[in-house]
Each structure stands twice: as C-alpha cells, then as structure tokens.
C-alpha cells in the first residue's frame, strides 16, 4: 500500500547503514529500540499505537523485526517494508516475542544495546526481556539512534520548513483573535484551525496558551480562562509535518503593556539574535547559551540563569516535541559540536525576572551559512492587541 510513505527506500537504507556503522564501531551485534521516534525514523511506522510498547530489534547486518500488539499488523503491512512483524495478543507477554525475534535475527549470546531511557519500555517489559535472554551481554544503547537523527537530511529539512510555515501562520492567526474578553478556547481553536489548514498534522506537544497568572508554569495550557486588558497572553505553539516538529513562542499584551515592556521586548530580540549568531558549524552548543546569557546580563539581569536557551527538535511523538524522553539542549557549558542540519527550538525567555515579562522562541535551522530562523513571519517585537 504505502501511498503516503514519509520516507523513500533510499532514505531508509541510508539510515539503516548508519546504524550498522554505529553498531560495528561499538562492537555491538544489535540494538533493541523502544522509542517511537527511532522506530519511525528507521521504518516509517506512523500511528498512535505506541501507547503500548513497540520494540524494534536491529542486528549488525541491518535486518529488523518489530514486536508489538498483533492488532497493529494491518498498519504494519500498509506502512513497513523493511522489517519482520512479531505480533502478540493482549493476554501474551511482549517480551516473549522480543526474545524470539532476537533469536531469529541471530542475537543469542551476542552483545546487544538496549534503549534504557525510552518512555515506552516500562519496567515490566524491560525486566521480562532481560530475564529471558540469558547469555546476552547487555549494554545501554540510549542515544545510539537519537544521535544519528540530530543532523537532518534535505528531505527532513523540507518537512521541517513545511511545519514551520504552518506554525508561523497559525501563530499569526491566533494573535489576531486576542482581545479584551477573548477566551483561551477561542485562541486555541484559531491556532489549530489555521495551522491544520496550512498542512500541520497532530503535534507531539502543546500548544501552550496561558495568562499572566500562570506564566511560570512552563507546561500548562488552556483551561477556560478569559483575557482582560492588561493581561499577558503566553503562546508557545508548534506545527508538525510528517512528524517533524516546528515550535515557536510569542508573548502578547491585551489592550496595553506595562511600562518597560518595550525595553524587555528589545532584550528578548537581542537575545534571539545572540543565540542565532552563536550557532555556527563546528561551534559548541554551550556557546549559544553563553551569548544569550551575556545579553541578559547587559540588560540588568546579572544573576539570571535558565536551564537552557533552546533544544533540538525533529521527529516528535506525544507527549513531547523534543524527539523523545531526552532533551538535547543549548545548556551552559555544553560541548556538543554543532553540525549542518541541526534544528533547534531557540528561546529568549525573560519571565518572572526583575524586568517586565517578555518571551520569544523560534524554530531555527543551522545551515552552512549559519542559523536561519524558520518562523520569522510573526513579529518578535512588542505585540499589543
């Protein structure tokens, strides 16, 4: 079937060859993968059945097997061409099927990596797999495939650009409906309507819409509140295309902004420029944080620190647009080397500080010429509606 396959065969083949190279480099016979982002990356399997564990086994030759609920076979047959299927009934143990697939792929007695940090492989399944595979030398494979996903291919960049356009236009549309008396339901509905019509598919996270009283609650969203003159409306939204996430954020004041807001907006914009200026091929991720931190200090916030000023994005399944359970961020002192094709959700965030609240964030791609902001249509300057 595969009428809407996200990845052509040659793209998948290149990815599997990179996994084979990584396995050989680490003297591994195979890897057991449970992150839906990594399974999608290697097979193109795109559905919401991942609430129940899916386990992809890959051996050193690049042969693959997917173990999951038997009811997913129709989806598998429609979407996947490069793996075998091992389907368990709901009264059966997933681990029995994983172990059988491992035997069939020649991994008995081998040295095998296991994604220990996946949100989707809970303790019961993990313990079952480990208990039933005596003779295998297990090592932690968390990050093995994730690291291969960081620098995006031209096709992945194309998908990211489409997501960013939908996010940008959706953001502009929901800002337009903000007014005294507007509800967060209206704002959320307008964002979802426009971004969806512009090509967005379901996102991995958010959108987040909240008032002044909840600015510091970084992961709460709309719940039936009405905005009034003088309120600040926090918007952190995303769009998704073929599971590639493009988040962005803006802060909007209703009716009027407090004295000093213009200066805070300039500070946030200067911070974003500093982050983008520090994102250079061959540079370090920590350089971006240092550049942003210098702007914060110059604006009178010498003691202000955040956990990061952005993080990588790409393939994202619920409940995250960060690409899994690990957040790969632009944190203080990070020595991660920056490469062409990396995509970031960059933050210039000043809320609950000694200056008036302001915040902007963008999806930014690192090209050979430097950072390119993909969500630049919606203005970053002080927005009053």
């Amino acid at each position: 079937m595969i009428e809407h396959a996200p990845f052509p065969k040659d793209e998948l083949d290149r990815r599997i060859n990179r996994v084979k190279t990584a396995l050989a480099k680490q003297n591994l016979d195979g890897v057991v993968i449970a992150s839906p982002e990594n399974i999608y990356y290697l097979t193109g399997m795109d559905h919401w059945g991942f609430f129940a564990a899916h386990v992809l086994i890959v051996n050193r030759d690049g042969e693959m097997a997917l173990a999951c609920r038997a009811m997913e076979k129709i989806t598998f047959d429609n979407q996947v061409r490069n793996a075998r299927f091992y389907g368990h009934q709901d009264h059966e143990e997933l681990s029995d099927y994983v172990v059988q697939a491992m035997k069939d792929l020649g991994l008995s007695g081998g040295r095998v990596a296991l994604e220990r940090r996946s949100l989707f492989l809970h303790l019961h399944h993990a313990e079952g797999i480990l208990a039933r595979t005596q003779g295998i030398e297990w090592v932690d494979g968390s990050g093995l495939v994730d690291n291969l996903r960081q620098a995006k291919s031209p096709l992945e960049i194309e998908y990211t650009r489409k997501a960013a356009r939908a996010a940008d236009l959706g953001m502009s549309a929901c800002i337009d409906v903000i007014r005294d008396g507007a509800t967060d339901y209206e704002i959320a509905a307008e964002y979802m309507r426009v971004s969806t019509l512009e090509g967005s598919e379901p996102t991995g996270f958010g959108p987040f819409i909240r008032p002044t009283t909840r600015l510091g609650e970084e992961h709460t969203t709309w719940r039936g509140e009405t905005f009034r003159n003088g309120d600040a409306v926090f918007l952190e939204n995303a769009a998704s295309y073929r599971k590639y996430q493009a988040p962005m954020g803006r802060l909007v004041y209703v009716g009027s902004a407090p004295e000093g807001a213009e200066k805070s907006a300039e500070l946030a914009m200067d911070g974003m420029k500093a982050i983008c200026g520090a994102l250079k091929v061959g540079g370090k991720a920590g350089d971006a944080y240092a550049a942003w931190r210098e702007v914060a200090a110059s604006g009178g916030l010498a003691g202000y620190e955040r956990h990061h000023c952005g993080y990588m994005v790409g393939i994202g399944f619920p409940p995250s647009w960060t690409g899994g359970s690990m957040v790969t961020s632009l944190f203080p002192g990070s020595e991660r080397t920056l490469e062409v094709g990396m995509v970031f959700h960059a933050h210039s965030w000043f809320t609950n500080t000694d200056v008036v609240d302001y915040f902007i964030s963008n999806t930014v791609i690192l090209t050979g010429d430097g950072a390119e902001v993909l969500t630049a249509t919606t203005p970053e300057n002080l927005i009053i509606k």
Side-chain angles (χ1 to χ4, degrees):
M1 186 174 170
I2 312 190
E3 295 177 1
H4 302 285
F7 311 119
K9 182 178 182 302
D10 60 346
E11 179 96 3
L12 292 176
D13 288 346
R14 281 195 299 271
R15 296 172 180 182
I16 294 166
N17 284 335
R18 294 179 70 205
V19 172
K20 289 166 59 178
T21 299
L23 292 174
K25 186 175 181 180
Q26 298 181 42
N27 192 28
L28 293 167
D29 296 298
V31 59
V32 175
I33 299 166
S35 301
E37 291 85 359
N38 290 337
I39 295 172
Y40 174 70
Y41 180 74
L42 295 176
T43 68
M45 181 82 161
D46 179 6
H47 69 150
W48 283 10
F50 289 103
F51 70 90
H54 285 47
V55 175
L56 182 70
I57 303 97
V58 186
N59 70 14
R60 199 165 181 166
D61 296 325
E63 298 174 304
M64 301 194 297
L66 181 69
C68 62
R69 297 172 76 199
M71 67 176 296
E72 308 295 1
K73 190 173 189 304
I74 294 174
T75 303
F76 177 91
D77 288 344
N78 283 345
Q79 296 186 4
V80 179
R81 291 292 179 270
N82 60 358
R84 309 177 200 176
F85 183 80
Y86 290 73
H88 69 88
Q89 300 298 327
D90 285 352
H91 64 276
E92 297 178 311
E93 289 291 345
L94 168 70
S95 55
D96 289 334
Y97 286 76
V98 173
V99 171
Q100 185 60 55
M102 292 177 66
K103 289 177 180 177
D104 294 346
L105 291 179
L107 296 179
S108 298
R111 187 168 186 267
V112 182
L114 173 66
E115 279 191 344
R116 294 178 181 268
R117 284 189 284 182
S118 171
L119 289 173
F120 294 87
L121 187 66
H122 58 64
L123 188 60
H124 174 78
H125 292 320
E127 286 182 337
I129 293 168
L130 295 175
R132 290 168 171 80
T133 50
Q134 296 177 358
I136 284 182
E137 179 187 352
W138 287 103
V139 301
D140 188 1
S142 303
L144 188 150
V145 179
D146 303 74
N147 289 336
L148 302 179
R149 289 173 29 219
Q150 290 177 0
K152 308 297 187 292
S153 70
L155 179 64
E156 292 175 295
I157 294 302
E158 177 188 336
Y159 289 170
T160 303
R161 289 183 183 278
K162 289 182 177 180
R165 173 175 169 78
D168 214 351
L169 295 176
M171 179 67 81
S172 294
C174 75
I175 289 173
D176 286 344
V177 301
I178 293 175
R179 68 189 186 284
D180 179 44
T183 68
D184 52 12
Y185 290 144
E186 294 176 73
I187 296 166
E190 188 64 6
Y191 179 79
M192 299 297 285
R193 183 185 73 83
V194 172
S195 63
T196 301
L197 290 175
E198 291 294 335
S200 178
E201 298 151 7
T203 58
F205 209 27
F208 297 111
I209 300 169
R210 55 184 181 268
T212 307
T213 54
R214 293 194 285 122
L215 284 184
E217 298 179 7
E218 296 203 11
H219 298 120
T220 63
T221 190
W222 73 88
R223 61 185 189 192
E225 292 167 301
T226 300
F227 295 104
R228 297 299 181 189
N229 283 334
D231 284 342
V233 183
F234 178 94
L235 304 168
E236 190 180 18
N237 304 336
S240 172
Y241 187 83
R242 301 298 185 261
K243 291 290 182 289
Y244 287 83
Q245 312 291 306
M248 64 180 297
R250 298 292 186 266
L251 193 69
V252 180
Y253 283 96
V254 183
S256 62
E259 184 178 353
E262 187 71 45
K263 184 177 180 181
S264 291
E266 291 177 5
L267 185 66
M269 290 185 288
D270 288 344
M272 182 60 66
K273 291 174 185 175
I275 294 168
C276 293
L279 292 175
K280 298 178 181 178
V281 176
K284 302 299 181 182
D287 296 341
Y289 183 88
W292 173 82
R293 180 68 187 77
E294 186 175 335
V295 170
S298 71
L301 298 175
Y304 181 54
E305 298 282 356
R306 283 187 59 80
H307 47 292
H308 59 59
C309 66
Y311 47 80
M312 287 192 193
V313 291
I315 298 170
F317 280 76
S320 172
W321 61 43
T322 63
S325 55
M326 295 176 287
V327 179
T328 306
S329 65
L330 302 171
F331 65 86
S334 173
E335 290 293 316
R336 185 174 296 276
T337 300
L338 302 175
E339 302 175 43
V340 170
M342 288 182 169
V343 181
F344 299 92
H345 181 205
H347 298 166
S348 191
W349 193 313
F350 301 99
T351 60
N352 300 306
T353 69
D354 292 334
V355 300
V356 174
D357 292 326
Y358 211 72
F359 155 78
I360 54 175
S361 71
N362 288 303
T363 295
V364 179
I365 179 175
L366 184 55
T367 74
D369 297 322
E372 178 188 352
V373 177
L374 301 186
T375 48
T377 300
T378 305
E380 297 177 343
N381 55 286
L382 180 63
I383 304 173
I384 302 173
K385 295 298 293 183

